[in-house]
Amino acid sequence: MGDLLKFSPYLALFVVFYFFMIRPQQKRAKNEKEFESALKVGDKIITKSGLHGKIAEVAETTVVIETMAGKLKMERSAISMEMSAALAKK
């Protein structure tokens, strides 16, 4: 019983760490994966570097976006979920 009381603060710290750090990060990663897989031709997007464009082609891991300067091939992971969602609301 005494040993359990010695480790209870560490256990409590781990539980708090899990619910405030690990779990939200896993949830965010899952949402980003779903967002990336739902991209389709014609979607208006913003990349994480700030480029605005419209998706012209979709491949397994890449997309071709059409910008005012021409077409660019990018990784799907380079598209910002938050900024693209804000653009869609406008």
Side-chain angles (χ1 to χ4, degrees):
M1 177 93 175
D3 290 336
L4 184 61
L5 289 176
K6 288 180 187 177
F7 291 110
S8 63
Y10 297 112
L11 183 61
L13 185 63
F14 176 76
V15 169
V16 168
F17 185 74
Y18 176 78
F19 280 106
F20 286 105
M21 299 290 283
I22 298 171
R23 190 166 176 245
Q25 185 63 29
Q26 289 174 336
K27 197 174 196 179
R28 180 183 173 105
K30 181 183 174 191
N31 287 342
E32 283 190 23
K33 279 276 194 210
E34 289 173 1
F35 170 77
E36 288 174 18
S37 65
L39 291 173
K40 60 189 179 303
V41 174
D43 286 350
K44 291 183 179 177
I45 54 99
I46 302 175
T47 65
K48 290 180 181 175
S49 60
L51 293 172
H52 291 241
K54 187 165 63 169
I55 296 179
E57 297 174 32
V58 178
E60 191 173 323
T61 59
T62 60
V63 293
V64 174
I65 64 169
E66 206 173 308
T67 65
M68 293 180 79
K71 292 184 178 182
L72 301 170
K73 186 174 187 175
M74 306 188 117
E75 293 293 317
R76 283 183 180 222
S77 60
I79 298 172
S80 171
M81 182 174 66
E82 291 85 10
M83 290 189 283
S84 295
L87 180 66
K89 288 181 182 177
K90 286 183 181 180

